[in-house]
Amino acid sequence: MKASALVKLRGVTQSYQIGRKVFVAVDGVNMTVNEGEFVALLGPSGCGKSTLLRIITGLQKPSQGTVLYRGEPVTGVNPRATIVFQTFALFPWLTVQQNVEIALKARGVAPEERKTRALELLDRVGLDGFETAFPRELSGGMRQKVGFARAMAVNPELLCLDEPFSALDVLSAESLRGELLELWLGGGIPTRAILMVTHNIEEAVFMADRVIVMDKDPGRVVADVNVVLPHPRQHKSPEFAAIVDQVYATLAGQTQPEHLEVGTAPGEPGRTRALPDIAIDDLTGVLERLTEEPGRTADIFRLSSELQVDSDYLLRLTEAAELLGFATLAQGDISLTPLGETFAEASILARKEIFATRIRRLPLFSWLLKMLSAAEKPQLERSVIHAALELEFPPEEARRQLDLIIQWGRYAELFEYDDGSEILSREPGVPAGTSV
Ligand code: ADP
Ligand code: MG
């Protein structure tokens, strides 16, 4: 029997105007979610996962391309789909039960029936006994369950989940994953398909029938991996690890050619490459660890479980290592370069020097150093730099990039930053910006 498509995207592109530039957030995405499927949409932050969910549920119209729901073009908000967000917005002044009923009230369900259905759903998600509690009395995991109950109250055909477990502590996330799977697999909910956004590879492989892998710059689909493993899945089984590895390899492999492109400086034509959001201590930690590995090479999935870091974060760390020329990535393995090895084995001071030389090559830093030397005093106000960055990045990202620039530049002792006056100044003795 041929699976029938619930959602079909064809050539979906979403671009945004930022400053004077057009930024392509999602580029030519084709994908299908079939009836009966649990699909995970996986990719690093910023690759356009939330954007796609908004487009699929009709909350947003794409710049280009078509969205079909049961073969019909989606023109407005799709009443047969709902989204559960990372932190579900519950009304603090309503009880748990009222928070669920409100979704039914919005659909014109009569009071008696609202009550019956709300109670039944709360029971099903395991919140029996908490009907009259207020959100503030609940743990994060329980609040998210109210969110699930509210989403399911309207009997959606398509349940979209946007990183539903990422705001929860490890244990609550684990149990809630199990409970959602039980509801889904046991047919306890009328939902015909689930589309779950995540940046956690293990979570995707644990839950989904299929993992659609995305990458960023621009956001696009790079792989579609079937997970043919029976439930309940065992994290520690070799079959599970093999699929996680396969997904890892597609993600890490993708980052190859573009990785080495450093992009352009703010204000110049072309796209400014964002710095990966990492802490330098973690980067040095990973590099040090690699010096202990045979051949200075490690499988990144193994490394992420041994170092107990989130896979998304480890990918950002490897991205930073590659950008700085400290490591290379191929087929899911990360290898130290001779420079990376030198860096990892150097003294603190020598590390700073190597780091400084490397980041001076990046357009963001050479641009900033040039601006500093062009200024009358070698000083710049935070707001000035921020304004320039806002021409390249959305506001939140611009702020993050500025914080990263400050962190990296301070570590490299290229410049100083005063948190009080919010002024960035060149370290005495640092020569004017010379770009390579
Ligand atoms: P993800 O959910 O995968 O983290 P998003 O879909 O939230 O990614 O965002 C994809 C990209 O589009 C990001 O670079 C984000 O900053 C950008 N973006 C999202 N919404 C807007 C918007 N309204 N205006 C400008 N840029 C946006
Ligand atoms: Mg998102």
Side-chain angles (χ1 to χ4, degrees):
M1 197 181 82
K2 198 174 165 297
S4 75
L6 208 55
V7 181
K8 215 176 189 127
L9 302 192
R10 284 294 163 261
V12 166
T13 294
Q14 179 68 58
S15 34
Y16 296 108
Q17 182 88 30
I18 296 174
R20 282 164 296 145
K21 293 182 187 172
V22 174
F23 166 63
V24 180
V26 174
D27 193 22
V29 167
N30 299 317
M31 60 178 256
T32 304
V33 177
N34 295 307
E35 235 178 289
E37 269 186 328
F38 187 139
V39 176
L41 192 57
L42 175 86
S45 33
C47 72
K49 304 180 296 293
S50 299
T51 301
L52 282 181
L53 280 197
R54 286 196 302 272
I55 289 172
I56 286 168
T57 52
L59 291 171
Q60 180 174 332
K61 193 177 165 343
S63 315
Q64 279 170 49
T66 53
V67 185
L68 300 178
Y69 190 84
R70 291 197 181 279
E72 299 290 322
V74 170
T75 49
V77 177
N78 183 347
R80 296 156 107 180
T82 49
I83 306 190
V84 175
F85 297 98
Q86 186 178 3
T87 43
F88 207 85
L90 298 177
F91 298 111
W93 60 89
L94 297 182
T95 63
V96 163
Q97 186 185 331
Q98 288 165 333
N99 261 293
V100 176
E101 281 194 36
I102 202 157
L104 296 165
K105 192 173 172 195
R107 304 246 165 156
V109 178
E112 249 337 278
E113 198 192 334
R114 284 204 302 257
K115 187 176 161 198
T116 319
R117 270 178 52 196
L119 290 178
E120 189 196 309
L121 278 161
L122 286 169
D123 194 20
R124 226 180 292 167
V125 296
L127 281 177
D128 202 8
F130 289 91
E131 297 84 357
T132 56
F134 286 93
R136 64 170 185 282
E137 302 171 62
L138 305 180
S139 68
M142 288 162 95
R143 268 182 242 154
Q144 197 65 341
K145 284 186 188 181
V146 182
F148 281 124
R150 184 152 98 189
M152 286 182 299
V154 298
N155 291 341
E157 271 187 338
L158 175 66
L159 182 61
C160 295
L161 308 169
D162 196 349
E163 311 216 8
F165 309 110
S166 60
L168 304 177
D169 62 87
V170 177
L171 286 180
S172 319
E174 201 54 44
S175 69
L176 205 48
R177 279 184 200 115
E179 284 164 29
L180 176 66
L181 271 179
E182 229 170 83
L183 280 175
W184 164 247
L185 297 169
I189 45 176
T191 303
R192 306 297 310 151
I194 296 182
L195 178 59
M196 177 182 77
V197 160
T198 176
H199 61 245
N200 182 325
I201 299 179
E202 291 92 295
E203 177 176 292
V205 175
F206 184 69
M207 302 184 78
D209 303 313
R210 193 149 62 82
V211 182
I212 298 178
V213 186
M214 295 183 70
D215 202 3
K216 59 180 176 174
D217 298 321
R220 63 199 188 282
V221 173
V222 293
D224 197 326
V225 179
N226 280 318
V227 187
V228 197
L229 291 177
H231 289 282
R233 294 177 181 163
Q234 307 299 327
H235 282 281
K236 296 235 162 6
S237 77
E239 296 80 15
F240 188 89
I243 296 179
V244 170
D245 232 1
Q246 186 191 345
V247 175
Y248 237 123
T250 43
L251 261 178
Q254 284 305 320
T255 38
Q256 276 280 289
E258 259 155 346
H259 235 97
L260 304 171
E261 275 175 29
V262 292
T264 59
E268 285 176 4
R271 186 151 147 71
T272 301
R273 198 199 157 109
L275 300 177
D277 186 4
I278 56 127
I280 291 170
D281 279 347
D282 296 332
L283 176 67
T284 55
V286 168
L287 297 174
E288 279 167 11
R289 173 57 185 264
L290 283 171
T291 63
E292 295 158 14
E293 296 284 333
R296 310 281 192 257
T297 295
D299 177 284
I300 57 178
F301 169 51
R302 179 170 58 81
L303 205 58
S304 108
S305 63
E306 284 176 12
L307 296 173
Q308 305 209 330
V309 293
D310 188 281
S311 49
D312 188 48
Y313 188 51
L314 187 62
L315 283 174
R316 289 207 298 277
L317 288 169
T318 56
E319 182 186 341
E322 237 196 347
L323 190 65
L324 295 164
F326 293 161
T328 53
L329 266 175
Q331 275 115 45
D333 283 345
I334 174 169
S335 312
L336 272 186
T337 59
L339 179 67
E341 208 173 317
T342 312
F343 176 85
E345 286 168 352
S347 66
I348 292 178
L349 248 126
R351 276 187 185 175
K352 284 176 182 275
E353 270 170 35
I354 298 173
F355 197 83
T357 321
R358 299 310 289 175
I359 64 173
R360 278 170 162 283
R361 299 168 60 249
L362 302 177
L364 270 177
F365 288 94
S366 56
W367 161 77
L368 197 56
L369 289 170
K370 250 187 250 163
M371 291 225 299
L372 278 170
S373 54
E376 214 165 298
K377 276 198 286 181
Q379 290 190 337
L380 286 168
E381 280 169 34
R382 182 187 172 94
S383 59
V384 172
I385 312 171
H386 189 236
L389 291 173
E390 274 202 317
L391 297 175
E392 301 294 331
F393 303 108
E396 198 187 321
E397 185 62 34
R399 208 170 313 123
R400 185 161 46 228
Q401 287 299 311
L402 182 48
D403 289 337
L404 286 166
I405 290 171
I406 291 171
Q407 253 178 56
W408 292 28
R410 269 176 162 175
Y411 173 78
E413 298 186 3
L414 281 184
F415 37 74
E416 287 169 344
Y417 179 71
D418 187 289
D419 288 303
S421 61
E422 301 205 317
I423 285 180
L424 187 121
S425 46
R426 208 169 62 224
E427 281 252 352
V430 170
T434 42
S435 50
V436 179

